[in-house]
Structure formats: C-alpha cells, structure tokens
Amino acid sequence: MICKKRTVVCLLVLAAVMLLPSQLLAQATVNPTRALFAPSPDHNATDSTGAAVVQSYQLKLYLVGATTPFQTVSLGKPTPDGTGTITVDLTSIFVGWPVPGTNYVSDVAAVGPGGANASAPSNTFSFTTAPVCSFSVSSTSQSMAAAGGSQTTTVTTTSGCAWSATSNASWITVTGGSSGTSSGPVTYTVAANTATSPRTGTLTVAGRTVTVTQSGACGFTLSSTSQSVLAAGGLGSTTVTTT
C-alpha cells in the first residue's frame, strides 16, 4: 500500500489482529481480548517543523459490511514491543456494546498533522457473551518491615473478564496470580531493604495501583567510640542514635 511521503504513512496490514487469551487465530475470532498491529513506518519520524508525523492511533469498529464505524477509540501512541508489534488490551474497550452472535471487523488508523490513513480491515470477530467487566482489589496499600516478605491481594471481578498483575519496582516480584479471567489472589514478594531509608513501590493489579511502603533497615551510631577515665574511676557515657 503506497501512501503520501512525510505526511501520515499507511499502516502495514493487520496480521491476525484478534487474539483469544491463549490462542492466536488467523481468521474469525470469538471473544477477543487483544488487538495486534504493525506501527506506521513513520512511527518515530518528524516533519520539517519537528512535529511527529504519527501523533496517535485510532481503533475503529464496524459491523461487517458497514462503511461507517460505530465506535472510534483513541489508542494514544503505544510503543512497539521487541518484535515491532503494537498490542492493545481490548478488555476496557469491549464494555457494554458487543451484541452476542453479531460479527464485527476493525481497522487501525495512524493520525498526524497530514491527516489519517487506515490499515486493511481485520479478521472478523464476535462474542458469545457480553460481560460488563469491573475490577476491585482487596487492598490497595501495604506496609512491610525492612526484612521483607510475602503478601497477597485478591482481585474480584466477573467470570470471563481478563486482568493481569505486574510489579513496577525491581524489589517487588509477583510470584503468583500474574493473570486471570475471574476472581483470584495475587501473591507478591518484597525483598529485604538493606538501606536505612524507607522506600515506596507499586504494583498494577487489574488496572488498580497497589502501593507498598517498606521500612528502612536499622542503623546505629555512637556519639563517641573511645573514652579516657582517670585512675580513680568515674562515670562515662555515649549516646546511641538509631531509627
């Protein structure tokens, strides 16, 4: 597909755009949860004024056979992964509107100062159910001792609603329940804090932020480490300072 140079360039064709939670299908897909597409060749380019050639992407949703989308969703400008593919989580987009048994298609458009250019249509997709997904977690904050340890928070949602759990701090590790499609626990481990200063980190669990605050390790100093005493003896003192 040939497009105008230095304006917005056409996206590559959407390849197997819809995914099931654990299976990639090249043709019709039921209950998709993710969209995959290749970014515009001008994804990182700028024009003569320094403006980004591609400022954002839009996902447009159509009934099969329709020429006008019934919904357009701004995707922002996601960063491609290591394979050069952009993956979009659809679970927050497909809320309320899907009609079970109805076939849909979509396309993705690159948007910039020169206008917008759309990809080829995706494979068709449909839904067996149309759950309205909402998520909550049992705790959104946790205090930890300097020694660290393991904690658990529980995700509550409707069956069939996909979620994931990731750590945003190198010293917090998700050890169980990194993803799910119904209610379930998420276990994470906090490493020991060897510094004397407390620290704060977060996890993202089912779209919610869980904040972990950890105490600093105990440090000790003495006001004096030596003392001179007369032969007759007497009193001496030193002061201990600690957290």
Side-chain angles (χ1 to χ4, degrees):
M1 188 179 296
I2 300 175
C3 300
K4 295 178 181 180
K5 186 177 181 181
R6 309 312 299 163
T7 58
V8 175
V9 180
C10 282
L11 295 176
L12 302 179
V13 173
L14 289 170
V17 62
M18 295 302 172
L19 285 174
L20 288 172
S22 61
Q23 182 179 6
L24 173 65
L25 297 180
Q27 301 300 323
T29 299
V30 178
N31 296 333
T33 59
R34 290 178 290 171
L36 281 75
F37 62 92
S40 165
D42 274 356
H43 180 84
N44 295 315
T46 56
D47 62 18
S48 59
T49 68
V53 173
V54 176
Q55 296 178 333
S56 65
Y57 293 94
Q58 290 180 338
L59 176 68
K60 295 183 178 181
L61 305 163
Y62 303 79
L63 293 171
V64 169
T67 58
T68 302
F70 65 86
Q71 185 174 0
T72 300
V73 181
S74 176
L75 304 177
K77 191 176 180 180
T79 301
D81 62 21
T83 65
T85 301
I86 293 176
T87 301
V88 177
D89 183 358
L90 300 176
T91 57
S92 62
I93 296 173
F94 294 159
V95 176
W97 64 260
V99 177
T102 301
N103 290 323
Y104 303 93
V105 293
S106 66
D107 63 34
V108 174
V111 182
N117 277 316
S119 71
S122 72
N123 53 305
T124 60
F125 57 96
S126 61
F127 296 86
T128 55
T129 59
V132 176
C133 295
S134 62
F135 304 92
S136 63
V137 293
S138 58
S139 61
T140 57
S141 63
Q142 182 66 52
S143 297
M144 296 291 295
S150 181
Q151 289 291 338
T152 299
T153 188
T154 301
V155 177
T156 301
T157 188
T158 305
S159 178
C161 291
W163 53 269
S164 62
T166 57
S167 169
N168 304 311
S170 60
W171 46 277
I172 304 174
T173 303
V174 176
T175 55
S178 60
S179 64
T181 55
S182 60
S183 299
V186 174
T187 303
Y188 56 93
T189 299
V190 178
N193 185 6
T194 58
T196 56
S197 299
R199 60 185 178 181
T200 300
T202 63
L203 303 96
T204 302
V205 179
R208 304 294 186 266
T209 298
V210 177
T211 301
V212 178
T213 302
Q214 186 178 28
S215 302
C218 291
F220 303 92
T221 59
L222 301 177
S223 60
S224 62
T225 57
S226 64
Q227 184 74 49
S228 297
V229 181
L230 297 174
L235 295 175
S237 68
T238 188
T239 301
V240 177
T241 301
T242 186
T243 52

